[in-house]
Amino acid sequence: MTAKRNTPVALIRKAAPFAIRAERASDVVAREALLDACFGENRHARTCQRLRDGRAPAQGLSLAAVRQDGRLVGTVRLWHVSAGGRSALMLGPLAVDDDCRGLGVGAALMQRALAVAKARGHGAVILLGDAPYYARYGFTAAGTGELSLPGAFERDRLLGLELVEGALDGAWGMITPTGAPLPKSKATRDRKAPLAVPHAA
């Protein structure tokens, strides 16, 4: 009698229903519609927007999550700032299409953004967000207690992550934008874009 051979069966996990890639110029309209849907059309009046207005995002740190059919379902961008004299990045906004909640889109965008920022030699990332959510990525209020934003904000939502140990040591004062200025026409066009497109589904 021949003994049965135990052949191992590889369980192949289904591929993620989305991919993370660098943002393209063709994503802008869909990105702006998604941000409107997530944050409302008054999002341009938010405090952190003052650090982004008229500025280009950090090189290589505008990311998009897209479905297999090419539809944009998530976005995140990072921006150059001075955090009380310390060079840092400001992350945001991070947005995910309502239809794709629970698929790990936000987590994938965060992980890729932080990995790229670290690989490009950036020392720290700052954001304004919910501490319980962002704690999983290592963000805390430990290094941001002496920092301020140019407008109203909740102190316990100003969080930081050091990609290089000590990058936020002694950070004190106002967070200010340091990114490359956008050409005037592009800055105006980007700001008007949300009003010209429907909300993302």
Side-chain angles (χ1 to χ4, degrees):
M1 189 171 187
T2 309
K4 280 187 181 177
R5 285 171 56 186
N6 290 327
T7 307
V9 178
L11 297 177
I12 301 171
R13 213 171 134 195
K14 283 186 180 176
F18 61 89
I20 306 297
R21 61 161 170 75
E23 185 182 280
R24 300 172 182 165
S26 58
D27 294 328
V28 171
V29 170
R31 180 197 72 215
E32 293 299 307
L34 174 59
L35 292 174
D36 278 353
C38 291
F39 300 109
E41 289 187 5
N42 68 341
R43 62 189 171 85
H44 292 286
R46 293 184 173 216
T47 295
C48 284
Q49 187 62 36
R50 297 178 195 178
L51 301 173
R52 302 188 284 259
D53 280 342
R55 303 281 176 166
Q59 184 71 32
L61 285 165
S62 293
L63 302 175
V66 293
R67 298 205 70 142
Q68 292 173 342
D69 62 3
R71 185 167 69 97
L72 184 140
V73 295
T75 178
V76 69
R77 292 190 289 171
L78 287 84
W79 312 78
H80 291 288
V81 295
S82 169
R86 296 293 191 130
S87 179
L89 294 170
M90 191 83 184
L91 185 146
L94 169 67
V96 176
D97 190 299
D98 275 344
D99 291 345
C100 295
R101 297 289 167 103
L103 297 179
V105 175
L109 283 165
M110 283 294 297
Q111 289 163 359
R112 179 71 65 83
L114 295 177
V116 172
K118 187 168 187 174
R120 288 179 171 263
H122 296 288
V125 179
I126 295 169
L127 58 79
L128 196 61
D130 296 327
Y133 177 82
Y134 289 105
R136 72 189 75 177
Y137 305 108
F139 284 88
T140 72
T144 59
E146 300 298 323
L147 293 171
S148 298
L149 288 169
F153 71 100
E154 295 173 54
R155 167 62 54 197
D156 61 348
R157 289 170 56 83
L158 185 58
L159 310 173
L161 169 66
E162 290 185 339
L163 301 175
V164 174
E165 190 175 349
L168 291 175
D169 284 357
W172 179 90
M174 187 66 66
I175 298 173
T176 56
T178 58
L182 286 173
K184 202 90 168 169
S185 59
K186 181 166 176 29
T188 305
R189 188 169 62 245
D190 282 356
R191 191 149 180 162
K192 288 182 178 175
L195 306 178
V197 296
H199 288 308

